[in-house]
């Protein structure tokens, strides 16, 4: 009893000290974001949402209120002058999706904002460091410029889509009128594009823009190109690929092809370079018939079958001064009908470079590379040989018993027995081809496709490929990790690692079910099999709700889903 009384007395004495230590240090805001992004370069939302995390030392810390200021300049933000918005003290524990409620935002404008928070004792933190967000086009009419193409007519016969069809290059030279203080590129190219300024690629994005239903919306990206500007004359260059806008008429599962269900057209691009001069005036260089176009070295490209590149057809300096080649005026085209919206999701990037685990010759002149890991992406090759030599790369997830590559597990749409329609290959495996130009050591990786694979079969290589001649480029939407898992169990750790690789292999703008055979989300596959498809998961859910319940399905999987739906309807009816 005496010991118990002593312990109770100590608890009474020490409790205030413990409670004080729990509050010591307070809380403060961190990781400020606008529309999920840290310092977004181009948003087209008139009332963007602001968020932050909370950090601090001690226990039992919580936010009870916040205060936000938004300023028109960095100087005003530093001086705590919220000339665009002053929220005042808001009693709330919310720290995500706080809607901006200040003066109307202006297009093409950078704003700075800060936040401070209050803890459980109503003690205010210090103001956060200033962060910024920049608006793009807040009104659709502010998009200046036209969709342009190379003027080539669309193929009429299905078999013609499988012939060489060089992707167009576009270029435009321009001379800034005054001293440039800021330069932005607003651009969308369908299906995919790569943009250059003065011969240099303007960003590390790949497979831009993200895949949408192009008759509803088309995404554009915003890039700060000031660092690539040079005194005097500048040259912009754009290369456009097919992507999902000009797919092949592959009869997936022997019955359906994307061209029947997606808005399609010839590759085209719409872009605007906006220059801000030292005196505050601006100038826009936009896509129109003053741009020049010529065929490029990408002679075939498809998201399923791969890319063919003929380096002998490269146009020297095509995106810089004094180009070679035969150029003509670009042609204004209708382009997709969807509204243009700023691309807010993380772009697709090369997120990891993989060295092959082994290279072995499985047959004379046939080499098999084991990348050691199944992933989604492409390979980069470094090769030297005579002009005209063609290197062929085939991709697979497994090998056969004789050690050769097994391409059959990653065949597009189960096209394995001449069931892909007129002109389609008998087996729709994944394959890239590179034709050498014979100019020393050449480096290449595909631009407008990606594959799901672990093994690469190489034929046509001059000599024997060595470790380092071919590397894997893992590609995925560059998602930021929200956490990580580790345990004392090696099997659990390996399972978590496999899950991560699998997930990232299926995040290419939309989340897909596999990066090789279908490359589309399950709702997309579901409705493609029934003659209805939409790439938006939310709209797919609406279609699912309203679809014909008894429609005959084209595949065994379709019949399974139909029967399951019928049973579900019967259960609902029995419940009243």
């Amino acid at each position: 009893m005496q010991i118990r009384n002593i312990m109770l007395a100590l608890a009474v004495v020490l409790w205030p000290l413990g409670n004080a230590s729990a509050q010591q240090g307070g809380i403060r805001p961190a990781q400020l974001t606008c529309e999920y992004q840290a310092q977004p370069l181009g948003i087209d939302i008139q009332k963007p949402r602001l968020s932050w995390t909370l950090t601090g030392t001690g226990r039992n810390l919580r936010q009870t209120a916040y205060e936000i200021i938004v300023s028109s300049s960095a100087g005003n933000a530093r001086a705590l002058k919220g000339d665009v918005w002053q929220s005042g003290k808001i009693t709330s524990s919310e720290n995500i999706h706080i809607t901006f409620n200040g003066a109307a935002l202006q297009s093409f404008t950078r704003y700075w904002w800060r936040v401070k928070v209050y803890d459980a004792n109503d003690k205010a933190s210090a103001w956060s460091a200033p962060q910024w967000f920049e608006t793009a086009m807040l009104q659709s009419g502010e998009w200046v410029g036209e969709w342009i193409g190379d003027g080539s007519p669309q193929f009429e016969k299905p078999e013609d889509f499988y012939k060489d069809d060089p992707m167009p290059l576009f270029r435009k030279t321009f001379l800034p009128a005054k001293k440039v203080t800021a330069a932005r590129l607003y651009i969308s190219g369908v299906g995919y594009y790569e943009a250059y300024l003065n011969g240099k690629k303007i960003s590390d994005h790949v497979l831009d823009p993200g895949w949408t239903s192009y008759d509803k919306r088309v995404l554009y990206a915003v890039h700060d190109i000031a660092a690539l500007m040079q005194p005097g004359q500048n040259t912009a260059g754009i290369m456009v690929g097919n992507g999902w806008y000009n797919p092949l008429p592959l009869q997936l599962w022997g019955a359906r092809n994307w061209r029947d269900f997606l808005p399609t057209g010839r590759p085209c691009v719409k872009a605007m370079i906006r220059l801000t001069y030292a005196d505050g005036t601006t100038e826009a260089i936009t896509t129109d018939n003053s741009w020049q176009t010529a065929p490029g070295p990408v002679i075939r490209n498809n998201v399923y079958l791969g890319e063919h590149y003929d380096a002998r057809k490269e146009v020297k300096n095509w995106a810089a001064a004094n180009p070679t080649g035969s150029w003509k005026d670009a042609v204004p085209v209708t382009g997709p009908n969807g509204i243009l919206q700023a691309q807010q999701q993380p772009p697709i990037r090369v997120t990891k470079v993989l060295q092959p685990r082994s290279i072995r010759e499985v047959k004379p002149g046939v080499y098999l590379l084991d990348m050691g890991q199944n992933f989604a992406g492409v390979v980069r090759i470094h090769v030297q040989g005579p002009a005209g030599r063609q290197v062929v790369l085939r991709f697979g997830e497994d090998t056969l018993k004789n050690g050769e590559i097994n391409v059959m597990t990653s065949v597009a749409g189960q096209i394995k027995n001449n069931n892909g329609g007129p002109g389609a290959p008998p087996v729709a495996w994944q394959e890239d081809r590179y034709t050498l130009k014979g100019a020393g050591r050449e480096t290449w990786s595909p631009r407008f496709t990606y594959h799901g694979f672990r093994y690469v079969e190489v034929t046509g290589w001059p000599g024997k490929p060595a470790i380092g001649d071919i590397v894997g480029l893992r590609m995925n939407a560059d998602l930021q990790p929200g956490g990580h898992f580790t345990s004392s169990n090696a099997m659990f750790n390996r399972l978590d690692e496999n899950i991560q690789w699998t997930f990232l292999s299926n995040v290419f703008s939309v989340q897909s079910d596999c990066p090789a055979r279908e490359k589309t989300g399950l709702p997309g596959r579901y409705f493609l099999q029934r003659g209805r498809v939409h790439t938006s998961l939310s709209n797919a859910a609406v279609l699912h709700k309203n679809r014909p319940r008894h429609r005959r399905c084209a595949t065994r999987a379709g019949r399974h889903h139909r029967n399951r739906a019928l049973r579900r309807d019967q259960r609902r009816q029995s419940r009243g």
Side-chain angles (χ1 to χ4, degrees), residues 150-156 165 266:
D150 65 355
S152 298
Q154 185 59 285
F155 299 119
E156 296 181 0
D165 182 21
R266 295 289 300 172

Side-chain angles (χ1 to χ4, degrees), residues 401-430:
K401 290 182 178 180
N402 63 3
E404 297 179 24
I405 194 168
N406 181 358
V407 299
M408 303 304 286
T409 66
S410 56
V411 166
Q414 300 299 319
I415 299 172
K416 300 178 179 180
N417 300 297
N418 286 292
N419 59 335
V427 179
W429 58 59
Q430 306 174 86

Side-chain angles (χ1 to χ4, degrees), residues 190 210-219 244-245 258 261-263 336-339 510 533-537 539-540 543:
V190 289
W211 185 18
T212 56
S213 289
Y214 301 124
D215 57 343
K216 296 184 180 296
R217 61 174 177 165
V218 184
L219 302 180
W244 295 102
Y245 189 61
W258 281 115
F261 309 109
L262 294 179
N337 295 323
I339 61 173
V510 298
V533 67
H534 200 291
T535 55
S536 165
L537 299 184
N539 284 329
L543 290 175

Side-chain angles (χ1 to χ4, degrees), residues 143-395:
W143 247 112
V144 183
E146 302 175 277
W147 289 101
I148 59 173
D150 65 355
S152 298
Q154 185 59 285
F155 299 119
E156 296 181 0
K157 298 179 180 179
E159 53 268 31
D160 290 340
F161 283 86
Y162 297 91
K163 298 177 181 179
D164 288 352
D165 182 21
M167 289 299 95
L169 306 175
F170 299 94
R171 59 177 275 116
K172 168 76 173 182
T173 59
F174 60 95
L175 182 66
K178 308 169 189 176
K179 181 180 178 181
V180 176
T181 57
R184 301 286 184 268
L185 170 65
Y186 305 86
I187 180 170
S188 181
V190 289
Y192 295 133
Y193 70 88
E194 280 194 353
Y196 295 77
L197 184 62
N198 298 319
K200 297 181 180 179
K201 191 167 182 276
I202 56 100
S203 79
D204 59 0
H205 295 194
V206 296
L207 302 180
D208 250 359
W211 185 18
T212 56
S213 289
Y214 301 124
D215 57 343
K216 296 184 180 296
R217 61 174 177 165
V218 184
L219 302 180
Y220 67 88
V222 185
H223 301 282
D224 184 347
I225 58 174
L228 297 177
M229 294 285 293
Q230 62 187 23
Q233 182 173 282
N234 289 261
T235 302
I238 305 169
M239 179 187 297
V240 189
N242 288 321
W244 295 102
Y245 189 61
N246 192 32
L248 291 172
L250 282 168
Q251 299 288 334
L252 302 180
W253 301 284
R256 310 287 181 184
N257 92 71
W258 281 115
R259 299 194 69 84
D260 292 335
F261 309 109
L262 294 179
T264 62
R266 295 289 300 172
C268 57
V269 63
K270 184 173 184 176
M272 178 172 69
I273 296 173
R274 191 173 188 272
L275 304 177
T276 301
Y277 296 122
D279 60 4
T281 60
T282 62
E283 181 183 5
I285 293 91
T286 65
T287 45
D288 54 26
N289 60 5
S290 68
W291 285 61
Q292 298 288 296
T293 184
V298 178
I299 57 176
R300 297 189 192 185
N301 71 100
N302 176 255
V303 292
Y304 292 111
L305 301 187
E307 181 171 314
H308 295 188
Y309 186 98
D310 191 340
R312 298 170 301 176
K313 299 181 181 296
E314 289 178 346
V315 180
K316 187 177 181 181
N317 295 330
W318 72 273
N322 304 315
T324 60
S326 178
W327 295 83
K328 64 179 183 179
D329 292 342
V331 177
V333 297
T334 301
N337 295 323
I339 61 173
L340 284 159
Q341 291 185 343
Q343 181 168 284
Q344 299 297 307
Q345 71 233 38
I348 300 169
R349 292 188 171 100
V350 174
T351 56
K352 192 176 185 64
V353 177
L354 289 80
Q355 298 289 339
R357 178 180 294 177
S358 64
I359 301 177
R360 56 191 178 88
E361 191 171 16
V362 294
K363 289 195 305 187
V366 180
Y367 300 92
L368 185 74
L369 279 72
D370 179 1
M371 304 306 299
Q373 171 68 51
N374 202 325
F375 67 100
V378 295
V379 296
R380 178 189 294 137
I381 65 173
H382 306 279
V383 61
Q384 184 170 346
R389 173 67 71 91
Q390 188 174 83
V391 175
V392 180
L393 308 163
R394 289 203 305 167
F395 301 86

